[in-house]
Amino acid sequence: MTLQQLQYVIALDNHRHFVKAADSCFVAQPTLTLQVKKLEDEIGMSIFDRSSQPISPTIMGERFIIKARQILREVEGLKEMVNQELNEIKGTFKIGIIPTLAPYLLPKFLKDFSDDHPDIYLEIKEMQSEDIITGIQNSTLDIGLMVTPLHEGHVREIPLFYEPFLVYAHQHHPVLRKEKATAADITKKGLWLLDQGHCFRNQVLNICDESKNGDNGNRITFESGSIETLKNMIQSHSGYTLVPELAVNQKHDYEYIRRFEEPQPAREVSLVVHNSFTKELLLTKLRKYIIKGVPDSFKKNERFITVKWR
């Protein structure tokens, strides 16, 4: 049994296709197929059921793959320990970031970070929260940029900042006549939401006044994956929504927003990694650049109350 064979098995589990798995490992398909078969012969069991399309792990194969992933993580951790001893930080890292954060946070730190660290290559993808958690667990992602707490035993959370929620409303909405909004103002009547799967949607619903939750009163039902689309729909139609403060354009959105009374509802934004992740220097540097790019007021204090999404 070799580490290379374990890597082939993991690639095959990720892609469920021999040619795609071989391409991801930069080897010919017959090479990967032969090595996986040799490994199966050595351990005396089939890891994959080849009669199904796409192929899938056998029951024992699933247990083998879990252990193989753990072994490869430990090997990567051993390599990183050596790198850290040499004070090196370089390579390619895969980052998943939630859609309600990506367009507002990435421009605030990514260029400076990239310019200052030419040996670090970041592959960044917008993903919903549950997919990021799965990616970290399966080692298809190195880091998540998302909203916490998660209460997941296999991950570690490194809090970055606390971003307040603001009310964004049509120019004639009654909430804009108030100096500050309250939780009692947030009901489903007239409320526009992101579509299912977004943690931000769950947080908005958690802020709603449950005693006043009924039909939203809109003759148009529209759920979007984009905060900017919701803002445009509100201005052209009616109603309101909640937005994270980084999504607010202070020049163009100022007259349509209201802050909440203190303590303001806020979301905790964190770096999330697997418990076995050992690249501490990378996490330290990312955290430094991210915090530098957000307002000082996002530091946690008694003015904020964290809104959960799970």
Side-chain angles (χ1 to χ4, degrees):
M1 183 184 303
T2 67
L3 292 176
Q4 188 69 72
Q5 289 174 327
L6 296 183
Q7 289 170 348
Y8 291 160
V9 167
I10 297 305
L12 199 50
D13 183 51
N14 288 340
H15 295 281
R16 304 298 172 91
H17 190 279
F18 280 93
V19 174
K20 292 180 180 178
D23 288 343
S24 72
C25 295
F26 304 103
V27 297
Q29 180 263 322
T31 299
L32 181 139
T33 302
L34 176 62
Q35 289 300 318
V36 172
K37 185 65 172 64
K38 279 186 175 181
L39 177 58
E40 289 178 322
D41 290 342
E42 179 182 344
I43 62 178
M45 72 174 195
S46 294
I47 300 173
F48 294 97
D49 179 3
R50 293 161 175 80
S51 66
S52 63
Q53 291 296 328
I55 64 169
S56 60
T58 62
I59 294 176
M60 287 298 295
E62 289 180 349
R63 296 175 61 184
F64 183 92
I65 289 168
I66 290 173
K67 191 65 176 179
R69 290 185 184 276
Q70 180 182 345
I71 291 170
L72 291 178
R73 274 197 295 261
E74 293 295 333
V75 170
E76 286 301 311
L78 186 60
K79 291 178 181 177
E80 180 57 21
M81 182 186 72
V82 175
N83 286 338
Q84 285 186 336
E85 290 297 322
L86 298 175
N87 199 27
E88 290 182 348
I89 178 169
K90 60 183 180 180
T92 300
F93 303 96
K94 294 179 174 63
I95 298 178
I97 182 170
I98 57 174
T100 59
L101 197 57
Y104 312 113
L105 181 61
L106 292 179
K108 294 184 178 297
F109 79 92
L110 201 53
K111 184 180 185 304
D112 287 343
F113 181 88
S114 180
D115 289 346
D116 293 345
H117 302 87
D119 292 330
I120 297 177
Y121 299 86
L122 302 179
E123 296 180 2
I124 303 173
K125 183 178 181 180
E126 284 191 14
M127 305 171 67
Q128 293 189 355
S129 297
E130 296 291 354
D131 294 329
I132 293 177
I133 295 170
T134 300
I136 290 173
Q137 183 175 17
N138 292 340
S139 300
T140 55
L141 285 178
D142 297 302
I143 301 171
L145 260 171
M146 58 190 302
V147 172
T148 52
L150 301 177
H151 306 296
E152 291 280 346
H154 66 278
V155 302
R156 178 160 57 103
E157 303 167 11
I158 301 96
L160 298 169
F161 58 84
Y162 296 81
E163 182 182 14
F165 293 87
L166 304 180
V167 178
Y168 184 96
H170 185 270
Q171 58 184 334
H172 299 309
H173 195 281
V175 74
L176 295 183
R177 294 196 290 267
K178 302 182 66 173
E179 183 177 349
K180 294 285 182 69
T182 66
D185 297 318
I186 310 305
T187 69
K188 287 186 178 178
K189 183 175 177 58
L191 180 64
W192 297 78
L193 292 167
L194 293 177
D195 54 22
Q196 295 281 356
H198 289 275
C199 60
F200 192 81
R201 171 195 174 99
N202 296 343
Q203 289 179 302
V204 171
L205 291 175
N206 285 340
I207 294 173
C208 278
D209 185 344
E210 293 293 340
S211 66
K212 298 181 180 179
N213 281 347
D215 183 77
N216 67 10
N218 288 338
R219 293 176 57 213
I220 299 174
T221 300
F222 178 81
E223 294 182 355
S224 170
S226 164
I227 290 175
E228 297 307 312
T229 302
L230 288 185
K231 287 161 65 176
N232 290 335
M233 289 294 292
I234 288 168
Q235 287 312 311
S236 66
H237 185 62
S238 64
Y240 74 105
T241 190
L242 300 189
V243 296
E245 186 168 340
L246 289 178
V248 172
N249 184 310
Q250 295 295 338
K251 181 178 180 181
H252 299 103
D253 294 338
Y254 180 77
E255 60 183 309
Y256 307 120
I257 62 172
R258 285 294 180 272
R259 288 192 177 274
F260 281 90
E261 291 182 348
E262 296 181 359
Q264 301 175 59
R267 62 178 182 174
E268 179 184 81
V269 176
S270 301
L271 291 168
V272 178
V273 296
H274 196 276
N275 285 333
S276 62
F277 191 84
T278 58
K279 299 173 177 63
E280 296 299 322
L281 185 56
L282 174 62
L283 296 178
T284 298
K285 287 182 177 293
L286 276 173
R287 188 174 188 276
K288 173 184 175 182
Y289 278 76
I290 292 171
I291 291 177
K292 182 180 178 181
V294 301
D296 290 339
S297 59
F298 282 17
K299 296 177 181 178
K300 188 177 184 181
N301 54 43
E302 66 278 2
R303 297 187 301 111
F304 295 147
I305 181 170
T306 302
V307 180
K308 297 181 179 180
W309 66 274
R310 294 180 106 188

